[in-house]
């Protein structure tokens, strides 16, 4: 039982506590000044939300991973009209449960990730005039019902996550009126080139997630007018070098994820006009030393991942002057040697370094002595031994907290 002395508390967290039960939640009823309540991962609270119905000042409620929570619980939230942030991911809430939220007109953030809802729930949400962030990731949503995205109130949405659903281009038709969107996640959806034409008017978009979709070169032409776009993920898509030339027109891009074996030196060269890039992920791209020369153009890079290509020590010469780098991943470039460690020895801002699956040896570790900010060092499947790594940590790099091999 909570002490009466806690009656003035404004924030309370019992995250992942098996000690909180539906009966025990009676003690919450008197916490009338409570603003924030975190019950994430509490698995014994089914039936207990009834004791929250009089918390008229509650603004934030976290019920993530409470897989005991069902529609019958959500109805007790209907009168909590001060709620602004409601987290329900991985609960057993359906469209019926969402319908109880109609009156929460101050709600700005709603997370329904992994809940068994359909697009029909959007009809209830379309009246939430303050909603700016909606997460419907992994809900199993189809196109039917997506016409409710055209509701007048949902036009205020800034963040929309539709990843890992069954939506197609037919759904994207209904997103074109969401003109305030700044972040859109379509990861692993069945959308393609034709669907992207409906995003042309979303000129405020800063982040677009298209990983593992059917988008190819032709679709990228529809994005060229999105001048505010800063981050785009095209991993595991059909985009090739030709598509990279279209991406290069997005001058505001700061983060590009191109995990794609269809990208070669030609595609990388098409990006050299994006001099403001701070993050570049080329995992699996077929980059050679010739293409690595393009890295010189990205002076602002803080994170570079060029794994699984054909880069040798000669190519690393184009990386050694990228002084802003805090993360460098060159793993699976099998011909890198100790010379690479010598070349990058001046990148003193590095926090994470990965040169796994290469020919680096114990002898090369001496070149890392000035990388005093290193916290993570991965040299798996190299000629470096665990004992030498431990010596490096003990004598030279005391800030290392993650080492492989270990």
């Amino acid at each position: 039982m909570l002490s009466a002395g806690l009656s003035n508390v404004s924030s309370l967290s019992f995250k992942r506590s098996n000690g909180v039960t539906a009966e025990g939640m009676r003690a919450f009823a008197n916490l009338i000044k409570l603003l924030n309540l975190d019950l994430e991962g509490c698995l014994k609270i089914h039936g207990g939300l009834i004791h929250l119905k009089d918390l008229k000042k509650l603004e934030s409620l976290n019920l993530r991973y409470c897989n005991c929570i069902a529609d019958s619980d959500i109805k007790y939230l209907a009168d909590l009209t001060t709620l602004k942030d409601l987290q329900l991911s991985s609960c057993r809430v359906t469209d019926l449960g969402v319908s109880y939220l109609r009156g929460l007109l101050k709600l700005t953030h709603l997370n329904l990730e992994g809940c068994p809802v359909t697009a029909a729930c959007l009809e209830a949400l379309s009246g939430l005039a303050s909603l700016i962030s909606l997460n419907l990731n992994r809900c199993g949503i189809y196109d039917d019902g997506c016409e409710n995205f055209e509701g007048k109130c949902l036009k205020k949405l800034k963040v929309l996550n539709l990843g890992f659903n069954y939506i197609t281009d037919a759904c994207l038709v209904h997103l074109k009126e969401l003109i305030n969107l700044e972040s859109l996640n379509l990861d692993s959806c069945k959308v393609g080139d034709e669907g992207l034409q409906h995003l042309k008017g979303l000129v405020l978009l800063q982040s677009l997630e298209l990983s593992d979709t059917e988008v190819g070169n032709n679709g990228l032409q529809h994005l060229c007018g999105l001048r505010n776009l800063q981050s785009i993920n095209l991993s595991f898509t059909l985009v090739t070098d030709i598509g990279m030339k279209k991406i290069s027109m997005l001058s505001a891009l700061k983060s590009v994820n191109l995990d794609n074996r269809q990208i070669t030196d030609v595609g990388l060269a098409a990006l050299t006009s994006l001099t403001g890039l701070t993050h570049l992920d080329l995992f699996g791209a077929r980059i050679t030393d010739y293409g690595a020369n393009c890295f010189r153009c990205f002076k602002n890079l803080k994170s570079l991942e060029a794994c699984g290509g054909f880069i040798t020590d000669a190519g690393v010469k184009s990386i050694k002057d990228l002084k802003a780098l805090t993360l460098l991943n060159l793993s699976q470039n099998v011909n890198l040697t100790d010379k690479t460690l010598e070349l990058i020895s001046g990148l003193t801002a590095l926090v994470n370094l990965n040169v796994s699956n290469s020919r680096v040896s114990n002898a090369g570790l001496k070149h890392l002595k000035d990388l005093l900010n290193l916290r993570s060092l991965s040299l798996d499947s190299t000629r470096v031994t665990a004992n030498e790594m431990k010596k490096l940590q003990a004598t030279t790099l005391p800030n290392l907290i993650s080492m492989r091999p270990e």
Side-chain angles (χ1 to χ4, degrees):
M1 180 68 69
L2 290 172
S3 167
L6 294 177
S7 59
N8 290 319
V9 73
S10 61
S11 295
L12 202 56
S13 176
F14 288 93
K15 186 177 290 187
R16 297 183 180 86
S17 174
N18 289 325
V20 180
T21 65
E23 181 63 24
M25 288 179 66
R26 288 180 179 274
F28 295 155
N30 297 319
L31 303 181
I32 58 174
K33 295 185 179 181
L34 200 62
L35 300 178
N36 309 294
L37 179 58
D38 188 347
L39 297 172
E40 179 178 315
C42 294
L43 305 180
K44 299 180 181 179
I45 61 174
H46 172 56
L49 298 194
I50 188 174
H51 303 302
L52 305 183
K53 62 185 181 64
D54 293 323
L55 303 185
K56 303 301 185 181
K57 294 186 177 182
L58 198 64
E59 296 181 356
S60 174
L61 178 59
N62 183 2
L63 297 171
R64 282 193 297 256
Y65 312 123
C66 296
N67 55 21
C68 60
I69 295 296
D71 294 340
S72 58
D73 296 291
I74 301 301
K75 65 182 179 181
Y76 297 114
L77 305 182
D79 294 327
L80 300 182
T81 56
T82 56
L83 268 183
K84 296 179 180 179
D85 188 333
L86 180 57
Q87 303 290 321
L88 295 171
S89 58
S90 300
C91 292
R92 293 189 290 115
V93 177
T94 71
D95 295 342
L96 175 61
V98 174
S99 70
Y100 295 128
L101 306 179
R102 291 177 184 270
L104 305 187
L105 300 183
K106 293 185 178 180
L107 200 64
T108 59
H109 294 72
L110 178 60
N111 185 351
L112 293 168
E113 180 173 355
C115 293
V117 298
T118 71
C121 77
L122 295 169
E123 191 277 327
L125 299 180
S126 63
L128 301 183
S130 298
L131 201 62
I132 60 174
S133 177
L134 178 60
N135 188 346
L136 295 170
N137 192 52
R138 300 180 188 275
C139 289
I141 289 175
Y142 290 82
D143 294 331
D144 290 345
C146 286
E147 63 273 11
N148 289 304
F149 275 119
E150 298 181 15
K152 182 177 179 180
C153 293
L154 290 181
K155 287 184 180 180
K156 294 184 179 180
L157 278 179
K158 293 185 178 181
V159 179
L160 178 60
N161 188 340
L162 293 171
F164 293 89
N165 284 299
Y166 301 108
I167 59 173
T168 69
D169 292 345
C171 171
L172 301 193
V173 174
H174 305 297
L175 302 186
K176 60 185 179 182
E177 299 299 324
L178 303 182
I179 57 175
N180 288 301
L181 273 185
E182 296 176 1
S183 176
L184 177 60
N185 188 336
L186 298 170
D187 189 357
S188 300
C189 293
K190 300 181 182 298
V191 299
D193 291 344
E194 290 302 312
L196 294 193
Q197 67 179 307
H198 303 298
L199 306 184
K200 290 192 295 186
L202 306 185
V203 295
L204 298 183
L205 266 186
Q206 297 177 21
S207 176
L208 182 58
E209 173 69 60
L210 293 170
S211 177
D212 204 15
T213 61
E214 297 172 10
V215 169
N217 295 333
N218 292 334
L220 298 184
Q221 65 186 335
H222 301 306
L223 305 181
C224 292
L226 303 183
R227 298 300 182 185
N228 289 303
L229 205 59
Q230 297 180 13
S231 174
I232 187 168
N233 188 343
L234 294 167
S235 57
F236 307 108
T237 63
L238 303 177
V239 175
T240 67
D241 292 339
I242 296 173
M244 293 305 94
K245 294 180 180 179
K246 297 174 182 177
I247 288 293
S248 68
M249 298 175 66
L250 301 174
S251 56
L253 272 179
K254 293 183 179 180
S255 175
V256 180
N257 185 330
L258 299 168
D259 299 357
N260 195 323
R261 294 193 178 277
Q262 301 185 77
I263 304 299
T264 68
D265 294 341
V266 176
L268 179 57
L271 300 181
T272 52
S273 62
L274 303 177
T275 55
L277 278 182
T278 59
H279 172 79
L280 179 59
D281 188 340
L282 295 164
F283 184 89
R286 297 161 60 193
I287 305 302
T288 70
D289 291 339
Y290 178 79
N293 283 315
C294 297
F295 294 144
R296 301 177 189 270
C297 299
F298 307 122
K299 300 295 186 183
N300 296 309
L301 275 186
K302 296 181 180 179
S303 172
L304 173 60
E305 302 197 44
C307 324
F310 305 95
I311 298 173
T312 72
D313 297 334
V316 177
K317 291 180 181 179
S318 300
I319 297 173
K320 67 182 181 66
D321 293 322
L322 303 181
K323 301 298 185 180
L325 279 179
T326 60
L327 183 151
L328 178 59
N329 188 347
L330 295 173
S331 63
Q332 300 176 56
N333 288 287
V334 296
N335 291 316
L336 297 181
T337 72
D338 292 339
K339 183 64 177 179
T340 282
L341 298 189
E342 180 182 355
L343 289 167
I344 65 172
S345 63
L347 302 181
T348 55
L350 279 178
V351 176
N352 297 278
L353 175 61
N354 189 340
V355 197
S356 297
N357 297 95
S358 67
R359 294 163 55 194
V360 170
S361 71
N362 288 335
L365 296 183
K366 64 185 179 184
H367 299 302
L368 303 180
K369 60 182 177 62
D370 292 329
L371 305 187
L372 299 180
N373 290 306
L374 264 189
R375 296 174 63 83
S376 176
L377 177 60
S378 297
L379 293 167
D380 284 320
S381 300
T382 64
R383 299 171 185 177
V384 175
T385 62
N387 283 338
E388 290 301 312
M389 289 281 279
K390 291 177 181 177
K391 287 181 183 179
L392 180 70
Q393 179 190 38
T395 61
T396 308
L397 301 178
N399 290 321
L400 271 181
I401 57 175
S402 175
M403 303 182 300
R404 297 181 65 89
E406 57 184 1

